[in-house]
Amino acid sequence: MPARILVVDDETHLTCVLAFKLRQAGATVSTAANGLEGLAAAAEFQPELIVSDYQMPEMDGLQFVKTLAADPTLAAIPVILLTARGHRIAPADLADTGVRALLPKPFSARDLLRQIGEILPAAGLAPAPAAAHSAIT
């Protein structure tokens, strides 16, 4: 059964590219444009993993992961948080959240798939051919 992954990001082009790359690797993907939509999508879609941007309108990534962690039905979902290069998040801010990895932008699809593989080894996502691994910003 394919891994269910939720992508939460306000940049439509990034969301589309990530969803495409993850589907190519064998995942079932749902998307949301901000943290508020992400909460509703997580409750409905019940993903095995969430990839979320940090900087978003409505509810930023930090508020999003803290709200997920406070919900017993969503708290166990691991999260990969995408951050702008040079943006620092204090480890204390991530305490008691499901954030398992921080991935600075730009990153490659290979980097993301490697992180997902470390968090969900049973997902068995296949990396795309090397030529398809350009930087995602």
Side-chain angles (χ1 to χ4, degrees):
M1 177 173 237
R4 290 180 323 281
I5 299 176
L6 173 62
V7 176
V8 183
D9 199 306
D10 62 312
E11 296 180 48
T12 306
H13 71 281
L14 180 62
T15 303
C16 290
V17 169
L18 288 178
F20 175 76
K21 296 286 187 180
L22 291 168
R23 286 181 182 118
Q24 228 181 5
T28 299
V29 181
S30 184
T31 63
N34 60 55
L36 289 176
E37 287 182 18
L39 291 173
E44 182 179 328
F45 183 60
Q46 290 294 305
E48 294 170 71
L49 181 129
I50 297 172
V51 177
S52 176
D53 191 22
Y54 175 75
Q55 294 177 293
M56 297 182 291
E58 306 296 327
M59 175 185 283
D60 70 25
L62 190 55
Q63 293 169 312
F64 174 62
V65 297
K66 287 182 176 186
T67 305
L68 284 172
D71 183 329
T73 64
L74 304 173
I77 302 170
V79 177
I80 296 174
L81 196 58
L82 307 175
T83 62
R85 184 166 296 257
H87 188 84
R88 302 272 186 238
I89 300 173
D93 288 337
L94 299 178
D96 302 321
T97 70
V99 176
R100 301 280 290 280
L102 294 173
L103 193 59
K105 292 178 182 179
F107 58 91
S108 71
R110 184 177 304 275
D111 293 339
L112 179 60
L113 290 172
R114 180 182 49 75
Q115 287 285 351
I116 293 170
E118 290 175 9
I119 297 168
L120 295 177
L125 296 182
H133 290 292
S134 57
I136 299 173
T137 56

